[in-house]
Amino acid sequence: MFKDTLLEGKRILVTGGGSGLGKEMASEYAKLGAEVYICGRRKSVLDDTVKEITDAGGKAKAHACDIRVSEAINDMIDEIWADGGALTGLVNNAAGNFISPTKDLTPKGFEAISNIVFRGSFYITHACGTRWIKEDIKGSVISILTTWIWNGGPFTVPSAMSKAGVNIMTKSLAAEWGKYGIRLNAIAPGPFPTKGAWERLSPGQDADDSATSSGNPMGRNGEMQELRNLATFLMADGCDYLTGQTIAIDGAIHLASGGNFYQSLDRLSDDDWDGIRDMIRSSNDADKAKRSV
Ligand code: HXC
């Protein structure tokens, strides 16, 4: 769809770029000529992705960083700037989420998600934006949201609240920073199954039968190349007047049936939830064992 050299000269950081949607976008940006940085909490996962990208002829570097910690973000951004100059783009992709009845959440459970999505996305956008303003660089930010920002996310309330906040950050800063040439846009993907998300959103289910794909007007989940194309279009030069927008890419499921988990999860019993919680916790534990920060 795009010229192979479309993103040459761009330097883009993708948070959570070691796996899932972040890896897809980072790999695509590198394929189109960008120098890519990825960050996350699991250094070995990041290193594997960097190897895949560089083996394919791209340029990528990894930083272990927990975006919940603003000082760690500032150190990482300083290192990236010192490594080869300013970033030109940021993708707020890192997220945390798990399905749970809200009555069973603890404050710590709420914070585990909101500190990554709500606070972390702000910290890193602020860290890049303040440097861009100071250095007169027309940076571009893309945030990965969900369609729940429009109609709510029952059983994923901390994520829905946090992503709705990032949606408003996108609109607010598009206006406030437009005079500096800085653009902020967002993508609200529907069902693009990835291991990390589906272990926590549809544990024990095949992605093709998951709650989000059934009833989709297009009768299928999203294909990664479709998401990669949108993320490339928004990051590339040529649509500099496009800012403050959140674009859904979901086969129209949120228009047809809400696109959230209400119908499939509202009928579950407490016993069902006990089993789901156990499955999610074992995925969390397996990921945690690989964390380096
Ligand atoms: C209830 C749970 C729980 C569960 C964890 N907790 N899992 N509560 N039900 N299933 C609670 C814990 O009991 C604890 O509270 C608190 O959450 C923190 O747990 P930790 O494991 O210590 O947290 P932490 O190590 O910080 O891990 C963060 C995490 C984890 C969010 C819980 O899932 C994570 O790191 N995820 C990253 C990857 C990810 O989630 N990807 C999916 C993104 S999908 P107490 O009080 O008990 O100590 C997405 C939207 C997709 O964002 C949209 C698609 C349509």
Side-chain angles (χ1 to χ4, degrees), residues 115-133:
N115 283 352
I116 300 173
V117 181
F118 183 75
R119 291 175 191 271
S121 301
F122 175 80
Y123 293 154
I124 200 153
T125 301
H126 187 260
C128 291
T130 49
R131 286 166 175 82
W132 287 334
I133 291 167

Side-chain angles (χ1 to χ4, degrees), residues 2-274:
F2 300 108
K3 279 191 300 191
D4 290 351
T5 53
L6 183 74
L7 297 179
E8 267 181 12
K10 301 283 184 207
R11 290 169 47 76
I12 304 167
L13 170 63
V14 181
T15 67
S19 58
L21 303 186
K23 177 179 174 180
E24 298 289 340
M25 292 182 281
S27 306
E28 187 73 1
Y29 290 158
K31 199 174 121 198
L32 296 171
E35 286 174 59
V36 168
Y37 292 84
I38 56 177
C39 69
R41 290 171 293 177
R42 295 170 296 163
K43 187 69 168 45
S44 63
V45 172
L46 296 166
D47 287 342
D48 289 348
T49 296
V50 163
K51 185 170 183 319
E52 268 184 51
I53 292 175
T54 49
D55 284 353
K59 291 182 196 150
K61 289 187 182 163
H63 283 262
C65 179
D66 184 341
I67 64 162
R68 292 178 281 197
V69 184
S70 61
E71 296 79 11
I73 288 179
N74 270 311
D75 291 348
M76 173 180 69
I77 297 292
D78 280 345
E79 278 177 44
I80 293 175
W81 246 249
D83 182 51
L87 285 170
T88 60
L90 165 69
V91 181
N92 285 319
N93 165 77
N97 202 356
F98 53 79
I99 50 170
S100 174
T102 305
K103 70 179 174 56
D104 298 336
L105 285 176
T106 62
K108 217 174 135 203
F110 177 81
E111 282 162 16
I113 294 170
S114 59
N115 283 352
I116 300 173
V117 181
F118 183 75
R119 291 175 191 271
S121 301
F122 175 80
Y123 293 154
I124 200 153
T125 301
H126 187 260
C128 291
T130 49
R131 286 166 175 82
W132 287 334
I133 291 167
K134 208 164 140 206
E135 297 171 24
D136 197 16
I137 290 164
K138 297 179 176 13
S140 177
V141 179
I142 298 173
S143 296
I144 304 301
L145 306 179
T146 78
T147 58
W148 310 330
I149 58 164
W150 291 302
N151 65 331
F155 303 98
T156 54
V157 167
S159 164
M161 288 171 65
S162 301
K163 289 199 180 251
V166 177
N167 189 42
I168 283 298
M169 177 187 80
T170 300
K171 294 183 189 307
S172 308
L173 289 181
E176 192 177 326
W177 289 353
K179 66 181 169 209
Y180 305 115
I182 297 172
R183 298 193 295 133
L184 294 99
N185 291 293
I187 297 175
F192 285 80
T194 62
K195 183 174 179 296
W198 255 245
E199 281 175 355
R200 295 170 176 96
L201 301 177
S202 296
Q205 276 192 58
D206 188 318
D208 288 333
D209 312 324
S210 68
T212 44
S213 68
S214 61
N216 191 298
M218 292 202 170
R220 64 172 175 88
N221 288 323
E223 287 171 14
M224 287 303 175
Q225 191 58 47
E226 296 168 325
L227 181 85
R228 290 188 212 117
N229 289 343
L230 178 56
T232 299
F233 168 74
L234 288 174
M235 189 55 84
D237 293 333
C239 57
D240 298 5
Y241 208 47
L242 199 173
T243 188
Q245 301 306 305
T246 298
I247 301 176
I249 177 164
D250 73 339
I253 192 168
H254 81 284
L255 300 174
S257 60
N260 59 36
F261 294 122
Y262 175 71
Q263 285 178 21
S264 57
L265 301 185
D266 188 53
R267 63 177 87 105
L268 299 184
S269 67
D270 283 348
D271 284 348
D272 293 331
W273 278 111
D274 286 345

